[in-house]
Amino acid sequence: MSLVVVGSVAYDAVQTPHGGVDRMLGGAATYIALSASYFSHVKVVAVVGEDFDPEDHRLLAGRGIDLDGLERRPGKTFFWSGVYSHDMNERTTLRTDLNVFADFEPRLPDSYRAQPALVLGNIQPSLQRSVRAQMNGVRLVGGDTMNYWIQDHRPELLETLRQWDFLLINDGEARMLSGAYNLRRAAEKILDLGPHTLVIKRGEYGALLFRRDGHFMVPGYLLEDVFDPTGAGDSFAGGFIGYLAGAGIYPQDGQIEFSELRRAVIYGSVMGSFCCEMFGVGRFRTLTRPEIDARYQEFKACTEF
Amino acid sequence: MSLVVVGSVAYDAVQTPHGGVDRMLGGAATYIALSASYFSHVKVVAVVGEDFDPEDHRLLAGRGIDLDGLERRPGKTFFWSGVYSHDMNERTTLRTDLNVFADFEPRLPDSYRAQPALVLGNIQPSLQRSVRAQMNGVRLVGGDTMNYWIQDHRPELLETLRQWDFLLINDGEARMLSGAYNLRRAAEKILDLGPHTLVIKRGEYGALLFRRDGHFMVPGYLLEDVFDPTGAGDSFAGGFIGYLAGAGIYPQDGQIEFSELRRAVIYGSVMGSFCCEMFGVGRFRTLTRPEIDARYQEFKACTEF
């Protein structure tokens, strides 16, 4: 049983106060898949160009990720470059070259269709919906979106969200989607749109999980050094859904066991924190499951009272 | 046994997105004392002018606060006015009239001197030190400071901090005091200055407690409405030290039991959250201890995993 991950695979250039990298593997599907691979079998659907480095293919395959759905097309891989503010809480996009991603039409290999869990990285809502429609008997579906789809493709996004179990977005997106500034009120409105579970990511300030019968709050893990926050939100998503999918935890009567959701949020936070420790996907080259479990326990020790 | 609270008693004018108030009771000592009064006997040292409203005197006395050390002098009470940003995470001072506070020289009544706990609101560091010197056998001392003293009265502040058990400041102040941006590194440097316990307040994002052997993190309580954040940090301080003083928890071998510090941080967070629910000290007019304990339990339920 696998988790199907759909989204972008890209090359990124980033500048942070700790330095910069001109070209490194990135993209939402990459981070989600790498992060989730510590918890669950993962199958990726994405598109890359002719410039996709065999080394990067090996990195993903080396984590046991099924790449049958990684389409290779004439042209170049999606490229993004950005620069982070001094405190790394804001980033400015310098360049976005969609390249082969511009015509991305995710098509699931047959071996993907009957899998029980699906996570949709931030892509066009209608494409997210088309993927959902290609699955048979999927039991856990969720994903991410962004300001552009919320503002300019709202009806399409709302139709997509109706079929999701969970939505993972940041606080600014939650405010934009709901029209409410206060996050409790924003969450109430978003839970009316379809998902029974909402996770609001707050970067260094942690995360919030909402459902109708209550919420869960976790502070951000305190890193000694944040090298590069790129991919931290997607790594969070990978840890969150990866944990649920890997443990075979699906909604029953429209709800997931709250204690399991809490654990999933902590695993998400743990994976987001590891991601920031090196540039790009660097940390996933050496990260081990015992390190993840140790940080989970550290989270417990630092928040229990 | 009482907690001695020293600081400003003031009148404030504030504007928030929820409206404004032209004149309301405020000041660090006021908020600290009101908040701490739910946990401990409290004795206040402060100065007010001839305009101090008997109604406000009654409010404090009604919470059992000893006002023998509240000096009344010719002139007007300290006045501050400010306006909050839309998200209430920033505020701009419009006016500060020190009035009788300009010549404040805290003098402790004899009945205050042998008390075991002292909390010093944000005043000139040399005055904070003079108060400490007037106490006999005090067992728990701490307080607050601000950017002005950190930048322009640093040597004086450092001398003061050497005698403190704990320091409660916000994240910007911690960065300024330590010269380190990363809060773990900032905390290490600050713990070299004297206090064995550092609490960093992060407003809506919660609080962090550091000592040499570990740290504790708590997210901010999620309010449905934040009416006025004025005094929230001081209410936090009042809950934190009030809990410790009221329960008779003092340092032993230079340390306070970590589990008690965690509880103190939660009580601080609870009191800070209640403070934001109405303008000024409004919430303390009706707040009860059972409400406080219920919110403490709610914090536990929302953060446990």
Side-chain angles (χ1 to χ4, degrees):
Chain A
M1 304 304 259
S2 295
L3 167 67
V4 176
V5 176
V6 184
S8 58
V9 170
Y11 284 111
D12 294 341
V14 301
Q15 290 167 43
T16 82
H18 289 280
V21 172
D22 284 344
R23 183 182 168 87
M24 61 188 195
L25 179 62
T30 304
Y31 285 103
I32 296 171
L34 282 171
S35 173
S37 72
Y38 288 88
F39 306 93
S40 170
H41 291 288
V42 173
K43 295 177 183 292
V44 163
V45 179
V47 62
V48 294
E50 294 154 320
D51 59 345
F52 192 65
D53 193 332
E55 168 73 18
D56 292 326
H57 195 282
R58 277 194 296 273
L59 170 68
L60 296 168
R63 290 275 335 136
I65 298 167
D66 181 346
L67 298 170
D68 278 358
L70 184 68
E71 193 184 349
R72 200 182 186 100
R73 295 189 58 170
K76 285 189 158 186
T77 303
F78 183 10
F79 179 79
W80 173 85
S81 78
V83 56
Y84 286 88
S85 62
H86 177 68
D87 65 5
M88 286 193 268
N89 283 328
E90 278 169 61
R91 76 178 183 193
T92 309
T93 292
L94 299 177
R95 205 171 125 190
T96 305
D97 300 335
L98 292 177
N99 298 329
V100 298
F101 192 67
D103 303 314
F104 181 41
E105 281 188 27
R107 233 163 272 135
L108 269 57
D110 285 344
S111 60
Y112 283 38
R113 293 175 192 264
Q115 301 305 327
L118 170 65
V119 60
L120 296 145
N122 163 38
I123 55 173
Q124 200 183 320
S126 64
L127 292 186
Q128 291 176 323
R129 207 161 59 247
S130 83
V131 175
R132 170 78 180 76
Q134 294 173 54
M135 304 279 290
N136 299 320
V138 65
R139 299 176 64 185
L140 182 64
V141 182
D144 191 9
T145 190
M146 69 182 288
N147 49 4
Y148 175 68
W149 310 118
I150 296 171
Q151 278 182 315
D152 296 351
H153 294 72
R154 195 178 180 85
E156 208 177 300
L157 175 63
L158 294 183
E159 206 179 322
T160 297
L161 289 184
R162 271 199 285 277
Q163 300 180 317
W164 288 11
D165 294 296
F166 65 87
L167 172 65
L168 279 138
I169 48 181
N170 69 35
D171 38 9
E173 290 157 355
R175 288 172 172 137
M176 190 182 279
L177 178 58
S178 64
Y181 184 81
N182 179 283
L183 292 179
R184 276 178 95 146
R185 290 174 191 277
E188 272 172 38
K189 286 170 187 274
I190 292 170
L191 292 175
D192 282 340
L193 302 178
H196 52 71
T197 300
L198 169 68
V199 179
I200 298 181
K201 298 170 289 178
R202 306 172 104 185
E204 68 162 313
Y205 299 115
L208 304 168
L209 181 140
F210 293 93
R211 33 185 243 182
R212 290 209 179 281
D213 60 349
H215 66 275
F216 174 59
M217 321 185 283
V218 59
Y221 181 83
L222 284 178
L223 285 164
E224 292 259 2
D225 276 305
V226 175
F227 269 89
D228 174 17
T230 309
D234 291 316
S235 300
F236 184 110
F240 178 83
I241 179 110
Y243 169 72
L244 295 175
I249 295 153
Y250 308 117
Q252 294 194 318
D253 302 324
Q255 292 235 105
I256 296 173
E257 180 62 46
F258 209 154
S259 60
E260 295 292 0
L261 287 176
R262 290 166 188 253
R263 275 177 213 128
V265 169
I266 302 297
Y267 278 117
S269 303
V270 164
M271 299 310 286
S273 75
F274 277 120
C275 179
C276 296
E277 290 185 344
M278 291 180 80
F279 277 98
V281 301
R283 191 64 180 84
F284 296 112
R285 293 181 198 280
T286 59
L287 184 66
T288 64
R289 182 64 196 255
E291 286 179 293
I292 293 167
D293 291 329
R295 186 161 291 181
Y296 183 100
Q297 289 308 322
E298 200 188 330
F299 241 109
K300 209 176 176 70
C302 288
T303 57
E304 232 168 15
F305 63 91
Chain B
M1 304 304 261
S2 294
L3 166 67
V4 176
V5 175
V6 184
S8 58
V9 170
Y11 284 111
D12 294 340
V14 300
Q15 289 167 43
T16 83
H18 289 281
V21 172
D22 284 343
R23 183 183 168 87
M24 63 187 194
L25 180 62
T30 303
Y31 285 103
I32 297 171
L34 282 171
S35 173
S37 72
Y38 288 88
F39 305 93
S40 170
H41 291 288
V42 173
K43 294 176 183 295
V44 162
V45 178
V47 62
V48 293
E50 294 154 320
D51 59 345
F52 193 65
D53 193 329
E55 169 71 18
D56 292 326
H57 195 283
R58 277 194 295 274
L59 170 67
L60 296 168
R63 291 276 334 137
I65 296 168
D66 181 347
L67 298 169
D68 279 359
L70 184 68
E71 194 185 348
R72 201 182 186 99
R73 295 190 57 171
K76 285 188 158 186
T77 302
F78 182 9
F79 179 80
W80 173 84
S81 78
V83 56
Y84 286 88
S85 62
H86 177 68
D87 65 5
M88 286 193 265
N89 283 327
E90 278 169 61
R91 76 177 184 194
T92 309
T93 291
L94 298 177
R95 206 171 124 188
T96 305
D97 300 335
L98 292 177
N99 297 330
V100 298
F101 191 67
D103 304 312
F104 181 41
E105 282 187 25
R107 231 163 273 136
L108 270 55
D110 285 343
S111 60
Y112 284 38
R113 294 175 192 266
Q115 300 306 327
L118 170 65
V119 59
L120 296 144
N122 164 37
I123 54 172
Q124 200 183 318
S126 63
L127 292 185
Q128 291 176 322
R129 207 161 60 249
S130 83
V131 174
R132 170 77 180 74
Q134 293 173 55
M135 304 280 290
N136 299 319
V138 64
R139 299 177 65 185
L140 182 64
V141 183
D144 191 10
T145 190
M146 71 182 287
N147 50 4
Y148 175 66
W149 310 118
I150 296 170
Q151 278 183 314
D152 296 350
H153 294 72
R154 195 178 180 86
E156 208 175 299
L157 175 63
L158 294 183
E159 207 180 321
T160 297
L161 290 184
R162 272 198 286 277
Q163 299 180 319
W164 287 12
D165 293 297
F166 65 88
L167 172 65
L168 278 140
I169 48 182
N170 69 34
D171 39 9
E173 291 157 354
R175 288 172 171 137
M176 190 182 279
L177 178 58
S178 65
Y181 184 81
N182 179 284
L183 291 179
R184 276 178 95 146
R185 291 173 191 277
E188 273 172 37
K189 286 170 187 273
I190 292 170
L191 292 175
D192 283 339
L193 302 178
H196 53 71
T197 300
L198 169 67
V199 179
I200 298 181
K201 298 170 289 179
R202 307 172 104 185
E204 68 162 313
Y205 298 115
L208 305 168
L209 180 139
F210 292 94
R211 33 185 242 181
R212 290 207 179 282
D213 60 349
H215 66 274
F216 174 59
M217 320 185 283
V218 59
Y221 182 82
L222 284 178
L223 286 165
E224 293 259 3
D225 276 306
V226 175
F227 268 88
D228 173 17
T230 310
D234 292 316
S235 300
F236 184 111
F240 178 83
I241 179 111
Y243 169 71
L244 295 175
I249 295 154
Y250 307 116
Q252 292 193 320
D253 302 324
Q255 293 235 104
I256 297 172
E257 181 62 46
F258 208 155
S259 60
E260 294 292 1
L261 287 176
R262 289 166 188 253
R263 273 177 215 127
V265 168
I266 301 297
Y267 277 118
S269 303
V270 164
M271 299 309 286
S273 75
F274 277 120
C275 179
C276 296
E277 290 184 345
M278 292 179 79
F279 277 98
V281 301
R283 192 62 181 85
F284 296 112
R285 294 180 198 278
T286 60
L287 184 66
T288 63
R289 182 63 196 254
E291 286 180 293
I292 293 167
D293 291 329
R295 186 161 292 182
Y296 183 100
Q297 289 308 322
E298 202 188 330
F299 242 108
K300 209 175 176 70
C302 289
T303 58
E304 233 167 14
F305 65 91

